[in-house]
Amino acid sequence: MFQDFRAAGPLPPHSQLVRSPYGTPEHPLEPKRRPRGAGAGIFGFALLLTAGIAVTAIGGEYLTAPAPDVMLRTGIAFSADGLALVPYDRAGSGGVLSELATDVNAVRLAAVDLATGETRWDVQLADELDWDAAAVAAGEEYAYIATADGLEIRDLDDGALVTEAGDVPGLEGAGTGTAAYGLDPEAGVVALGFDGGLRTLALDALEAAPADVAVAETWAGRLAAEGAAPQLGGMTTTEASIGEDATIRVEPTADGAVTSGLAVMDGGDRRALGTRTYTEAAIVLDQTVTTTTWDLDVDVDGLIDDLLNDPSAAEELMDDPTGSIDLTVPAGTAAGAASGHALVEHKRAPGGDDYALTVIDLADGTVTASIDTSDHVGRSMTAPGGQTVAIVAPADGLYQSDLLIVAADGSVDRAVFGAFDLLGDPDIE
């Protein structure tokens, strides 16, 4: 059967199904234009966002970075205008920028104003912690630093290097290491050469000369041409000199007691120094002069005659070798005595592990200051201006990282080291 599929009516009119983005010749379409600079704005925003994230991350790392480990070297020197030159080891991170700008592990040298406790400048000496360094002396213009490479000279204004180690005129062939250099009160810096000869460098001079006969005799055998001088620990005692005939001493409150009081012995007179008691107390000794020798007056011939005339004396001597010989030597000087004070180290509490360092007025026993520490006191010295400085470990620290400064009035300040800012520069403000 034939079937008719034609539409019943004509198709309705319809619109164009495919439209060109440019329109038709009769009705052209103009493409929409993006505002100029829009792409650059998005790119700039992305850069700004990235920089913000980077700054936040770096700043956060700087703020959360652990504090560096700092340990002071004991080769400290003083300048004529009241600076303490303190070499120290610094190990630790300070953030990405700080690590890029400076060495993480370094030996540094800081100049501390003893009148204010503030650090005037802080410079790097070496980029390795086992590098030998000590401040030997300083005048009004220059500081003299003994190093593993020899003696170098630095400007006291900012710590800038004036003469490198090995280049000081007159010190050709001089020793390397801190053991080759010392300070003579009259001649200045004394240096030992590998040839055994001694040279001297007057303070604020830039050229050395051969040592004269007197200096050569005084310093014979006291220096070594190479190697490091030993680091000095603190020294304490139960009795120390505070004047020509006077001493300060620790007296237990009872036999076998761990608590003690203080007393001053002046000639044959005794007076109690205050009423306060201390646990396991000891007097801190001044170590400005690092070597001390005593002449022991022993009558050897007389001792032999006594032994021959009294055979029993030989047995007594064997039982007590020092009993027949008076080995009494002059007491060391108490740290702080130059300004009328004494430094007393003691335990904070009976049976405890932590310490305190207390400053005592020698006139009446008044406590002028006291700080808590976590360990025994380190080297103590007297500056030309009368201040007493001592290396101490802070109460919350593991190392002897701070310099305690005791002023002439007995007040204390504490200089800290090793802080860097975000860019890796010493934070000394």
Side-chain angles (χ1 to χ4, degrees):
M1 176 185 290
F2 176 76
Q3 187 171 356
D4 188 0
F5 291 97
R6 289 179 298 178
L11 292 173
H14 60 278
S15 61
Q16 184 175 355
L17 296 179
V18 179
R19 181 174 299 176
S20 167
Y22 302 102
T24 64
E26 294 80 11
H27 303 283
L29 295 178
E30 293 289 337
K32 294 182 178 180
R33 297 184 179 274
R34 183 175 295 174
R36 304 189 87 180
I42 295 174
F43 181 71
F45 176 77
L47 283 179
L48 184 62
L49 180 61
T50 302
I53 294 173
V55 169
T56 302
I58 293 173
E61 183 184 11
Y62 170 76
L63 294 175
T64 59
D69 292 328
V70 171
M71 180 173 288
L72 304 190
R73 303 281 186 98
T74 62
I76 296 174
F78 303 105
S79 72
D81 63 346
L83 291 179
L85 303 174
V86 186
Y88 70 93
D89 295 338
R90 183 189 187 277
S93 171
V96 174
L97 292 181
S98 179
E99 290 185 12
L100 292 175
T102 189
D103 294 305
V104 174
N105 300 322
V107 178
R108 303 187 64 87
L109 177 72
V112 177
D113 189 329
L114 294 176
T116 64
E118 298 178 352
T119 300
R120 182 176 297 182
W121 47 259
D122 188 323
V123 297
Q124 180 168 308
L125 296 177
D127 58 1
E128 49 187 289
L129 294 178
D130 58 352
W131 199 73
D132 192 20
V136 179
E140 296 180 355
E141 297 182 62
Y142 304 120
Y144 302 89
I145 314 301
T147 75
D149 294 332
L151 189 76
E152 65 181 38
I153 304 176
R154 290 185 174 267
D155 195 309
L156 279 175
D157 286 337
D158 55 8
L161 188 62
V162 176
T163 308
E164 293 186 2
D167 291 341
V168 178
L171 289 186
E172 297 83 0
T176 55
T178 54
Y181 299 90
L183 174 62
D184 186 274
E186 301 297 331
V189 178
V190 180
L192 176 65
F194 284 102
D195 60 358
L198 290 168
R199 287 95 164 171
T200 57
L201 187 63
L203 299 186
D204 290 325
L206 298 175
E207 184 173 348
D212 61 31
V213 175
V215 172
E217 291 179 351
T218 300
W219 284 85
R222 295 175 58 180
L223 301 175
E226 58 184 343
Q231 294 292 299
L232 298 175
M235 294 181 64
T236 59
T237 183
T238 56
E239 185 169 8
S241 173
I242 56 174
E244 184 175 350
D245 296 317
T247 62
I248 179 177
R249 71 183 186 185
V250 175
E251 295 183 341
T253 54
D255 291 342
V258 297
T259 57
S260 304
L262 301 175
V264 169
M265 302 298 297
D266 193 351
D269 299 328
R270 175 195 175 279
R271 64 178 173 89
L273 190 59
T275 59
R276 182 172 174 177
T277 60
Y278 307 87
T279 300
E280 300 184 32
I283 309 299
V284 178
L285 288 177
D286 182 275
Q287 293 174 270
T288 306
V289 179
T290 58
T291 59
T292 303
T293 59
W294 297 296
D295 294 326
L296 300 180
D297 186 11
V298 179
D299 185 359
V300 177
D301 293 335
L303 179 61
I304 294 175
D305 290 339
D306 291 341
L307 293 176
L308 292 175
N309 295 330
D310 183 6
S312 64
E315 296 180 1
E316 294 178 2
L317 183 61
M318 293 179 64
D319 294 336
D320 183 8
T322 63
S324 302
I325 306 174
D326 184 7
L327 293 180
T328 302
V329 296
T333 302
S339 61
H341 300 89
L343 273 59
V344 179
E345 179 186 272
H346 56 93
K347 289 287 186 70
R348 296 188 214 172
D353 295 327
D354 297 323
Y355 293 83
L357 194 61
T358 298
V359 183
I360 309 294
D361 191 311
L362 290 174
D364 55 12
T366 302
V367 174
T368 62
S370 186
I371 67 162
D372 292 337
T373 65
S374 62
D375 203 349
H376 291 286
V377 65
R379 184 184 183 185
S380 180
M381 306 173 66
T382 301
Q387 302 95 338
T388 301
V389 300
I391 298 174
V392 297
D396 58 351
L398 297 176
Y399 306 103
Q400 292 182 336
S401 60
D402 297 355
L403 189 72
L404 185 72
I405 305 170
V406 183
D409 62 358
S411 61
V412 301
D413 203 345
R414 188 161 60 183
V416 297
F417 304 84
F420 283 6
D421 61 20
L422 181 62
L423 299 179
D425 296 320
D427 189 2
I428 57 178
E429 297 182 350

